[in-house]
Structure formats: structure tokens, C-alpha cells
């Protein structure tokens, strides 16, 4: 099949491309390199089954493809809040353009949505039928509401135009290739500990998150895309940790002497988050296989190679 991956030069997109290329597909990677980098897809650049297009999805594009994995959108709060209007445009106009493309060429369309559609949840763990608690005028809303509209658009193109959709709600995912300055918690703590800088815990660190290793997530993507289910479907690792527990874990793994310091909690920071993955288990037979310690080891190795490589 010819498969388009938007945001393919980013963290998740590049791991997905590795899997799709290994399966023998023809892959078109589309990216504007806002948070993505050519380094992530370097190994495929000379491959005749791989094509890279520098393009911003807020502009329409005409391509002939069989499937579209739509991932283009900055995922880290510091990056999506840097230019919030652009984030909304990417989620709304960009997703509309990609759905329009799917409609025209009758491609199956996969939306990378997010657990952020649940906002600061007052139901725990979160099931797909929970409608969420999002502040529509807060600093996270360009992303949260953007993704909620992206889901709405997907379901409306499905109902109105018969577009074959798949919608996945991704919970915090980590792994090799996250940017060192990505700003998300796992990459921050690892880069800080390796550089002998204090680990910055926001708030008192009692807020929780559930961390999924990237290979597990990508397996879930491919299974959902090739199933008969449209979703929405939570994908994530139900293992739930406080942010302070995560800081201490990474401190112990890298640098037990590293300091942990506390900084103000960002506005609207969700207090707790854990996926209910009953749907993914029963519909796809999917569940995560990589425990946090093992996933962190693999991620730390990648960061160590990059950070120490840069110092040479
Ligand atoms: P990332 O920032 O590494 O990747 C996003 C990619 O999209 C980058 O390569 C970036 O350059 C590209 N991009 C951004 N705006 C674009 C535009 N207007 N046109 C073309 N390309 C554009 O983030 P990621 O972690 O790989 O996330 C990928 C997707 O998964 C995003 O849609 C994100 O919302 C979603 N998601 C990720 C997580 C997670 O924990 N990693 C959780 C929930 C949802
Ligand atoms: N966080 C933190 N220190 C950091 C970066 C993030 O304590 O250096 C916290 C953040 O406030 C949030 C959690 O870690 O409570 C997860 O943040 P991240 O940005 O990774 O993802 P999201 O908030 O989107 O789940």
C-alpha cells in the first residue's frame, strides 16, 4: 500500500514509518519540520519506497494514497503553546485538508487524537465515553479543543461523506528520539539528570500520568488502522505514577546525586490521568508489553548517545 504519514519526521511518526517500511509499504512522509527532524528519517531518505515532502498541512495538497496516518501537530505543551493560533489552525484547517484528501482518494484516515480531550478529568481511569473537562479558554485549549474539533471533523466526514476513519486517543508516550528540548516530562528529567542539572518537578509532584513505550503504541496504531473498528480508542499504558515518583525513578537510574527541585504548576495541568484500555484489549487484543523501567533504560541510552555525542 502507499501510506501517507503526516508529522512523519516527529517522534511517533518516525517510529511508525520504521514499522511501515519494514512491512514493505510505500511511505510518503509529510512534515513542516516544526518539531520534527530529518535525522529521525535519515535512514530512509535513499530508499526508493520512501518519499519526503516538506509541506505545512494548513495548506491543501494533492496526493494519491491508500491510507493516511494523520499525526502532524506539536505534542509538547511548550511547543503547542508557542504559537497557539497556529496549533488551532494545524488541528482544524490541517485536519480538514487531510480529511478532504482522504475523501477525494478514498483513503482510510487515522487521527492521532489525545487523552487531552478529557482535560482535567473528574472520572478515573478515563473511558472513551467520558466527555471530558476541558477549559475552552485556557492555555492548553489550543491543543485540547483543537483535537476535540479534529475528532468532530473526522466523525462528520465519516457520517456525511463516508470517509473510513480510525480515531485513537493517545496517552503520554515516551521513547528514543524525543527531542532533548521537547519540554515533556520524561525527556526533561532524563536530559536534566544526564547533564547533572536539577530535575524540575512542577507543583508538588502529586499529579499522575501513565507512560506508554513507543513500540507498544505503534503496534496499537497499526492494529487499529487494519481493524474494522473506528474508535475512538484509548491507547496507553495503565501503569500510573506520580510525577515525583517518576523523577525519583529517573534520578536513581541515572544520577542518584541529582537534585530534585519544585517549580510552579502550569495552569490547567491535569491532576490525574490513566487510560481504561478495555476497548483496545477486547477489540484489538492489544495491551502494552514494555514495563516502565525497561522503556526508560532504552530511552536513557538514546539520550546518552545524543547528549554525549554532542559534547564530543
Ligand atoms: P512531535 O512534535 O514529535 O511530532 C509532530 C510532528 O508534526 C513534527 O514532526 C512536526 O514538525 C509536525 N508538524 C507540526 N505541525 C505541522 C504542520 N502544520 N504541518 C506539517 N507538519 C507539522 O510529537 P509526537 O509526540 O510525535 O506526536 C505526534 C502526534 O501524536 C501529534 O498529533 C500529537 O498530538 C499526538 N499525541 C502524542 C502523544 C505523546 O505522548 N507523544 C500523546 C497524545 C497525542
Ligand atoms: N512536568 C514536570 N516537570 C517537567 C515537565 C513536566 O513536573 O520538567 C509535569 C507537568 O506539569 C505534568 C506532567 O509532568 O503534570 C506531564 O507533563 P508533560 O508535558 O510531559 O505532558 P502532559 O501534561 O501533556 O500530560
Amino acid at each position: 500500500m502507499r501510506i501517507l504519514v503526516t508529522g512523519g519526521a516527529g517522534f511517533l511518526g518516525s517510529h511508525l514509518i520504521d514499522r511501515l517500511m519494514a512491512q514493505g509499504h510505500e511511505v510518503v512522509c509529510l512534515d513542516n519540520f516544526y518539531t520534527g527532524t530529518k535525522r529521525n528519517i535519515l535512514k530512509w531518505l535513499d530508499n526508493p519506497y520512501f518519499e519526503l515532502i516538506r509541506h505545512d498541512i494548513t495548506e491543501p495538497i494533492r496526493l494519491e494514497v491508500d491510507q493516511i496516518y494523520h499525526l502532524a501537530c506539536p505534542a509538547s505543551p511548550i511547543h503547542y503553546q508557542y504559537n497557539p493560533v497556529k496549533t488551532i489552525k494545524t488541528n482544524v484547517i490541517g485536519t480538514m485538508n487531510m480529511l478532504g484528501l482522504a475523501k477525494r482518494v478514498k483513503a482510510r484516515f487515522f487521527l492521532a487524537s489525545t487523552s487531552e480531550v478529557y482535560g482535567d478529568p473528574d472520572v478515573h481511569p478515563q473511558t472513551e465515553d467520558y466527555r471530558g473537562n476541558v477549559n475552552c479558554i485556557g492555555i492548553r485549549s489550543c491543543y485540547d479543543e483543537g483535537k476535540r474539533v479534529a475528532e468532530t471533523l473526522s466523525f462528520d466526514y465519516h457520517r456525511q461523506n463516508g470517509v473510513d476513519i480510525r480515531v485513537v486517543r493517545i496517552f503520554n508516550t515516551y521513547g528514543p528520539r524525543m527531542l532533548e528540548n521537547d519540554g515533556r516530562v520524561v525527556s526533561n528529567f532524563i536530559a536534566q539528570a544526564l547533564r547533572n542539572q536539577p530535575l524540575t518537578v512542577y507543583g508538588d509532584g502529586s499529579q499522575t500520568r501513565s507512560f506508554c513505550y513507543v513500540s507498544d503504541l505503534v503496534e496499537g496504531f497499526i492494529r487499529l488502522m487494519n481493524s474494522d473498528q473506528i474508535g475512538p480508542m484509548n491507547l496507553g499504558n495503565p501503569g500510573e505514577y506520580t510525577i515525583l515518583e517518576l523523577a525519583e525513578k529517573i534520578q536513581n537510574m541515572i544520577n542518584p546525586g541529582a537534585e530534585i527541585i519544585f517549580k510552579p504548576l502550569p495552569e490547567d495541568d491535569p491532576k490525574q490521568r490513566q487510560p481504561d484500555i478495555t476497548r483496545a484489549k477486547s477489540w484489538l487484543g492489544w495491551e502494552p508489553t514494555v514495563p516502565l523501567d525497561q522503556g526508560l533504560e532504552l530511552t536513557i541510552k538514546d539520550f546518552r548517545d545524543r547528549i554525549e555525542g554532542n559534547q564530543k
Side-chain angles (χ1 to χ4, degrees):
M1 273 189 287
R2 186 180 300 149
I3 303 180
L4 171 65
V5 180
T6 75
F11 163 53
L12 297 180
S14 64
H15 283 280
L16 173 64
I17 286 175
D18 289 351
R19 283 286 302 273
L20 297 175
M21 289 296 294
Q23 288 179 347
H25 296 293
E26 208 174 312
V27 173
V28 180
C29 168
L30 190 157
D31 208 293
N32 70 350
F33 299 112
Y34 173 46
T35 50
T37 142
K38 269 192 195 161
R39 193 183 52 227
N40 287 340
I41 41 165
L42 204 57
K43 64 171 171 293
W44 302 118
L45 288 182
D46 290 332
N47 189 303
Y49 294 102
F50 180 80
E51 204 175 329
L52 174 62
I53 303 175
R54 179 190 283 265
H55 178 81
D56 193 305
I57 55 156
T58 57
E59 301 291 337
I61 189 166
R62 292 177 87 87
L63 296 166
E64 305 302 319
V65 291
D66 305 301
Q67 291 187 339
I68 302 171
Y69 285 90
H70 176 42
L71 277 66
C73 175
S76 159
I78 58 165
H79 291 123
Y80 71 64
Q81 287 165 16
Y82 175 74
N83 185 344
V85 173
K86 176 70 192 216
T87 301
I88 293 261
K89 283 185 184 168
T90 297
N91 276 316
V92 179
I93 301 172
T95 301
M96 216 183 298
N97 285 334
M98 293 305 113
L99 279 160
L101 171 63
K103 175 184 156 189
R104 184 174 64 80
V105 300
K106 298 191 171 49
R108 186 172 286 181
F109 177 86
F110 176 105
L111 174 69
S113 184
T114 171
S115 56
E116 299 277 338
V117 299
Y118 302 124
D120 187 4
D122 34 32
V123 164
H124 194 76
Q126 293 80 52
T127 52
E128 290 86 351
D129 51 16
Y130 173 52
R131 293 187 185 176
N133 175 32
V134 173
N135 173 4
C136 68
I137 56 168
I139 57 169
R140 295 175 82 98
S141 57
C142 59
Y143 183 77
D144 301 4
E145 296 289 12
K147 289 286 186 180
R148 288 171 70 94
V149 173
E151 289 200 14
T152 307
L153 283 168
S154 302
F155 277 84
D156 279 338
Y157 269 82
H158 174 64
R159 284 186 288 255
Q160 189 177 334
N161 302 112
V163 174
D164 189 16
I165 57 161
R166 304 287 181 271
V167 175
V168 65
R169 293 182 180 154
I170 305 165
F171 285 64
N172 299 60
T173 299
Y174 68 99
R177 297 187 198 154
M178 293 183 92
L179 293 176
E180 292 154 39
N181 64 351
D182 181 88
R184 282 178 278 188
V185 67
V186 173
S187 45
N188 269 10
F189 287 170
I190 292 178
Q192 288 162 343
L194 287 172
R195 294 190 170 118
N196 215 7
Q197 294 166 349
L199 279 65
T200 53
V201 170
Y202 301 160
D204 62 6
S206 62
Q207 70 273 34
T208 67
R209 294 292 186 275
S210 307
F211 299 99
C212 185
Y213 188 66
V214 60
S215 58
D216 281 333
L217 187 80
V218 168
E219 174 66 30
F221 279 11
I222 292 173
R223 284 198 201 186
L224 178 63
M225 181 61 129
N226 297 296
S227 77
D228 294 330
Q229 304 291 346
I230 65 172
M233 180 183 286
N234 291 339
L235 286 182
N237 190 323
E240 186 185 8
Y241 297 84
T242 68
I243 294 303
L244 187 57
E245 281 171 339
L246 179 75
E248 286 166 348
K249 192 180 264 298
I250 292 176
Q251 178 193 40
N252 285 329
M253 289 172 87
I254 299 181
N255 183 353
E259 198 188 346
I260 294 181
I261 59 170
F262 294 87
K263 296 228 169 171
L265 189 66
E267 201 181 303
D268 292 334
D269 199 281
K271 281 181 278 307
Q272 52 180 5
R273 184 182 291 154
Q274 184 190 32
D276 181 311
I277 59 165
T278 311
R279 207 174 259 191
K281 274 187 187 164
S282 58
W283 287 2
L284 306 179
W286 177 88
E287 62 184 314
T289 58
V290 181
L292 184 59
D293 283 58
Q294 191 187 333
L296 286 176
E297 287 292 357
L298 296 165
T299 312
I300 290 167
K301 183 183 176 316
D302 171 65
F303 272 68
R304 204 185 285 279
D305 291 347
R306 280 187 283 157
I307 287 174
E308 290 174 2
N310 287 343
Q311 284 164 354
K312 274 180 202 150

